[in-house]
């Protein structure tokens, strides 16, 4: 049970909490802008964390600064919790579609509207409010390590060496981050698996220049046709990826997972509408939609180009064509093994008259977090305290690279404690975050800290 | 035998002939430019044709003017010959690669250098010089109809209605045009078959917008993957096109054609170098290169685009993708039948979740000209007179739409009497035309007129 004083601290000072969050939301901290927005947001966070009794500093990186903070006030017998968040936000464009200024936060219809209201300033603030509630009402039950990143929205290009270099400072017994969402309104959710990624571009080069398709058609291998044949061969008739050994290390879906997913309020037609398609498709035949999105690896072309792409016609055999291909991977697939298989596959599907090349743009391992760990159980109890309902355990088809870095570099399984809702408009105009999710999130985060401390008694 | 006076007229006045050709070459008559270059070239031709005793005029079209001329001086018992050429030329870009100004013609190393020196002002001038030689030395042996087009290099967009409207004026017993080339230096060639064309663009549309490939990958049909699968299915493992009925109307290659082609001085490695490829490929397995380029239909992608094509990676399932596909057709394929087959094929290869559309950019019939007609035989004799060697009868993989229009609208089988050489640099910087080809071409054209008249005696 969360101490009543914690709940009161959160609920009785809502205006003061909001005005502090609004200060942070008013700072346009966009990682790919060459201005001082990120530094100002980092400085604000350092000041705020110090006001809560933590040792805090902004640390320069080759890109935008990260914020590090720590507290050992709970004493050596208390567990240490690492809290992660990011202060950088997506650019607000297109500005004309916003109903209020993206960096002038306001409350409308029970929700905060601003760029970053949810992702991730709002969700991070729920965690910080939990810290504040404990710190101001008798003291923190856990020791804390805090890492707040400034380049999440641009792919965390400098995070891996940063974590590696600050490993000792970040050592902890548990880890939490709030940068995900409920499966549905009223249904708290903990994400326990994320897909990895292997991203390639394949180049096919034929004639030295575009050549006349009438004069030469039939005598010269066409790079576009050859590339299409290669791409088509990457799937079999059952929708399975044909790369050598692709499924060898895929962990079968557990019966209890599938059973749990069947209980989720998932409506295929509503989902298709959300994805913007008339009909669902793709993936392996014979599997359900959630299994295909969450539990199975995929291969998708992300872009293709070759030859003449202007209006009307041009009668050429193109000199070259290329395709971007990415695989989403699930545990225990190894992206380096996928890279080897892709290189072999492309070589085997490069016909006479074509020179091929494979470029690798990114390899990220899939992440599987233990659903039954003490931290996960503590989180489940905390959600019940904060939102009155046990969370669903779900997977996610996307990647959250920091989760994999924590696991690989620090040996820490993060708890992905999301407070957002699917309709919050992340990365879009009119991003918002419901006040109920903020207050419930802060209570959940506070309860999680209490549960962690209780569990280690 | 060509009368010696004709030969003398051509050979004894070379400087005067060249200075007249240079006047025409100096006019930058580029069809897609919005200036008076084309009108000036047309006016020059009208004046020149009138000076040879023909009735000539420039005729306005929705685009650039055409020149029409006629002479009935040979009398009602003489045959009538239609001579076609085009005065418009390709743009000269890139200018910096020219060694002399493209519209300041000059002779270097026995060749005329200028844009249009070959294509088609130079070759057309060989025909006009033949007319001049006859007209100035006793009179033309044939009646003449002349059509000189101003939009050939931009695809003759207004030629079909023009020929249809002027059918009576263009009526003739034979037709000749010099806008092609020798198979090799020293080997005169008559082209007796051209491939037709059916040009499509196929659009595949999936999600309403690009969507996240992690969140949705496996649940949504990817338009790029689906389009690649469609394109790949257009050929079987033998390189044959799989469109329904595609080969039904293809005339088998005659044994004597194949035997004749085997005699041609064709070197596959030299050809591969000319096409700019390390190795030949494409077309149907088990057929020779010339058979694949000249005698069999093909299907080539001319361009493809979809999704993210910038540098690096973007993790999206693209909203759409499209591909330009053109078939080269041989007699007696009907492009409208190919269109029907393509539409059925695309519909059958449009998976759930994709909306497809087929746009048609052009349908042109293949052309087959009788190799043993009196006009062809006259041309063969004429080449022997002009160049001392019987011509090879060859096909061409490209299309020359006017040939098909003459056949379909006027019932006239053209003689494609080329004087160019493969190395003349058509459409490229430093286009040129060898003087020997010009004088030999004029003698050949003159001999052809003589032979036609003799044949009708």
């Amino acid at each position: 049970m969360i101490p009543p004083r914690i709940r009161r601290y959160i609920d009785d000072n809502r205006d003061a909490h909001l005005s502090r969050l609004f200060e942070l939301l008013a700072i346009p901290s966009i990682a790919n802008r060459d201005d001082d927005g990120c530094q100002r947001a980092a400085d604000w966070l350092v000041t705020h964390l110090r006001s809560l009794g933590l040792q805090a500093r902004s640390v320069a990186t080759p890109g935008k600064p990260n914020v590090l903070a720590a507290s050992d006030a709970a004493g050596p017998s208390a567990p240490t919790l690492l809290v992660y968040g990011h202060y950088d936000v997506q650019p607000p464009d297109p500005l004309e579609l916003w109903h209020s200024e993206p960096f002038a936060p306001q409350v409308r219809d029970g929700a905060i509207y601003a760029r970053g209201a949810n992702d991730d300033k709002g969700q991070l603030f729920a965690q910080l409010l939990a810290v504040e509630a404990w710190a101001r009402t008798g003291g923190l039950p856990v020791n804390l390590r805090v890492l707040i990143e400034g380049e999440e929205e641009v792919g965390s290009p400098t995070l891996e060496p940063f974590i590696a270099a600050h490993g000792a400072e970040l050592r902890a017994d548990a880890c939490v981050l709030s940068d995900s969402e409920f499966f549905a309104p009223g249904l708290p959710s903990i994400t326990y698996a994320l897909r990895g990624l292997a991203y390639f571009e394949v180049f096919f080069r034929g004639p030295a220049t575009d050549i006349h398709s009438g004069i030469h058609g039939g005598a010269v291998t066409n790079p576009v046709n050859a590339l299409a044949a290669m791409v088509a061969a990457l799937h079999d008739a059952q929708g399975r990826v044909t790369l050598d050994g692709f499924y060898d290390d895929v962990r079968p879906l557990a019966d209890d997972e599938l059973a749990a997913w069947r209980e989720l309020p998932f409506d295929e037609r509503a989902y298709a509408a959300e994805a913007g398609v008339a009909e669902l498709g793709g993936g392996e035949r014979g599997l359900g939609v959630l299994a295909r999105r969450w539990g199975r690896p995929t291969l998708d072309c992300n872009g293709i180009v070759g030859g003449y792409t202007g209006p009307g016609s041009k009668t050429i055999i193109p000199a070259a064509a290329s395709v971007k291909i990415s695989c989403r991977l699930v545990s225990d697939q190894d992206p380096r093994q996928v890279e080897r298989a892709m290189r072999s596959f492309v070589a085997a599907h490069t016909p006479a008259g074509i020179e091929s090349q494979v470029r690798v743009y990114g390899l990220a391992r899939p992440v599987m977090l233990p659903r039954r760990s003490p931290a996960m159980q503590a989180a489940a109890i905390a959600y019940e305290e904060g939102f009155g309902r046990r969370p669903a355990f779900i997977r996610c088809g996307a990647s959250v690279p920091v989760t994999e870095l924590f696991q690989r570099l620090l040996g820490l399984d993060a708890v992905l404690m999301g407070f957002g809702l699917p309709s919050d408009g992340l990365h879009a105009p009119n991003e918002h975050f419901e006040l109920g999710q903020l207050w419930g999130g802060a209570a959940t985060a506070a309860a999680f800290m209490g549960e962690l401390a209780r569990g280690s008694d």
Side-chain angles (χ1 to χ4, degrees), chain A:
Chain A
M1 277 291 288
I2 187 173
R5 68 176 190 283
I6 300 290
R7 186 118 230 172
R8 275 201 306 273
Y9 184 88
I10 293 170
D11 291 343
D12 291 352
N13 303 282
R14 289 182 172 182
D15 287 349
H17 305 323
L18 271 189
S19 69
R20 251 195 316 281
L21 171 57
F22 279 23
E23 287 176 24
L24 180 59
L25 290 172
I27 303 171
S29 44
I30 301 163
N32 63 8
R33 292 225 178 131
D34 196 19
D35 60 19
D36 67 348
C38 284
Q39 186 64 60
R40 284 166 53 213
D43 291 345
W44 186 94
L45 285 162
V46 167
T47 303
H48 181 62
L49 287 161
R50 284 179 182 161
S51 79
L52 303 181
L54 282 76
Q55 299 218 311
R57 70 192 203 279
S58 152
V59 183
T61 77
K64 300 300 185 183
N66 294 330
V67 172
L68 283 178
S71 160
D72 287 313
S77 65
T80 299
L81 173 66
L82 169 61
V83 178
Y84 165 91
H86 66 91
Y87 67 75
D88 68 309
V89 297
Q90 282 279 318
D93 319 77
L95 283 171
E96 66 276 13
L97 296 184
W98 284 80
H99 299 137
S100 56
E101 291 296 317
F103 297 105
Q106 58 171 244
V107 172
R108 290 200 306 274
D109 302 326
I112 305 160
Y113 281 81
R115 170 56 83 229
N118 167 322
D119 180 14
D120 182 47
K121 288 172 175 172
Q123 293 209 55
L124 167 65
F125 194 77
Q127 290 287 345
L128 298 183
L129 193 48
V131 172
E132 178 178 339
W134 282 106
R136 296 260 195 265
T137 61
L140 283 158
V142 292
N143 297 310
L144 280 179
R145 302 292 179 268
V146 178
L147 166 59
I148 307 176
E149 190 193 351
E151 297 184 312
E152 199 271 351
E153 298 293 0
V154 293
S156 305
T158 64
L159 191 61
E160 178 163 353
F162 185 90
I163 292 176
H166 295 82
E169 272 183 83
L170 296 168
R171 193 170 302 147
D173 302 298
C175 170
V176 68
L177 59 103
S178 294
D179 194 19
S180 49
E181 63 191 29
F182 281 28
F183 184 80
L187 181 54
S189 312
I190 294 177
T191 302
Y192 65 91
L194 298 157
R195 293 200 286 191
L197 186 71
Y199 201 119
F200 311 99
E201 187 157 12
V202 181
F203 299 84
F204 269 25
R205 293 193 183 82
T209 60
D210 293 349
I211 58 176
H212 194 292
S213 65
I215 305 289
H216 302 291
V220 167
T221 308
N222 184 311
V224 173
N225 289 81
L227 195 72
M230 189 277 290
V231 168
L234 282 164
H235 285 98
D236 68 14
Q238 299 311 308
R240 285 170 62 90
V241 176
T242 56
L243 291 176
D244 192 40
F246 191 69
Y247 296 96
D248 285 359
D249 296 323
V250 171
R251 250 188 249 187
L253 291 166
D255 288 340
D256 66 331
E257 290 186 277
L258 291 168
W261 298 349
R262 274 193 293 272
E263 299 301 310
L264 291 170
F266 180 66
D267 178 74
E268 288 200 10
R269 268 195 290 188
Y271 166 69
E274 183 198 316
V277 294
E279 215 175 328
L280 296 178
E284 296 165 79
R285 310 284 173 274
L287 292 175
V289 174
L290 292 181
R292 276 146 51 202
R293 289 169 65 197
W294 292 352
R296 300 291 295 178
T298 58
L299 182 148
D300 270 296
C301 294
N302 312 101
I304 192 167
V305 67
Y308 177 68
T309 59
S313 65
K314 194 171 176 189
T315 48
I316 54 164
I317 295 175
S322 58
V323 63
K324 296 178 201 280
I325 301 173
S326 61
C327 297
R328 295 285 168 171
L329 310 177
V330 300
S331 294
D332 298 310
Q333 286 181 292
D334 179 346
R336 292 164 310 180
Q337 160 60 20
V338 174
E339 178 193 341
R340 281 192 293 272
M342 177 64 81
R343 290 187 184 280
S344 305
F345 187 93
V346 169
H349 286 79
T350 302
I354 298 289
E355 208 175 291
S356 64
Q357 191 196 345
V358 177
R359 229 178 260 167
V360 180
Y361 290 140
L363 300 176
R365 287 165 224 245
V367 171
M368 178 72 76
L369 301 161
R371 276 176 288 165
R372 295 182 186 81
S373 70
M376 284 290 198
Q377 296 313 310
I381 294 167
Y383 265 119
E384 208 167 354
E385 300 241 7
F387 288 96
R389 185 162 172 186
R390 298 282 291 190
F393 281 84
I394 64 175
R395 294 192 184 202
C396 174
S399 313
V400 181
V402 69
T403 314
E404 194 272 326
L405 294 178
F406 284 158
Q407 201 173 48
R408 178 157 49 91
L409 301 177
L410 304 180
L412 267 179
D413 292 324
V415 173
L416 301 180
M417 183 182 274
F419 301 135
L421 292 179
S423 55
D424 283 352
L426 270 61
H427 297 203
N430 305 305
E431 177 181 353
H432 56 279
F433 190 36
E434 294 198 4
L435 289 172
Q437 298 296 113
L438 173 60
W439 310 132
T444 303
F448 180 61
M449 294 170 193
E451 281 301 314
L452 280 184
R454 208 173 56 88
S456 72
D457 279 348

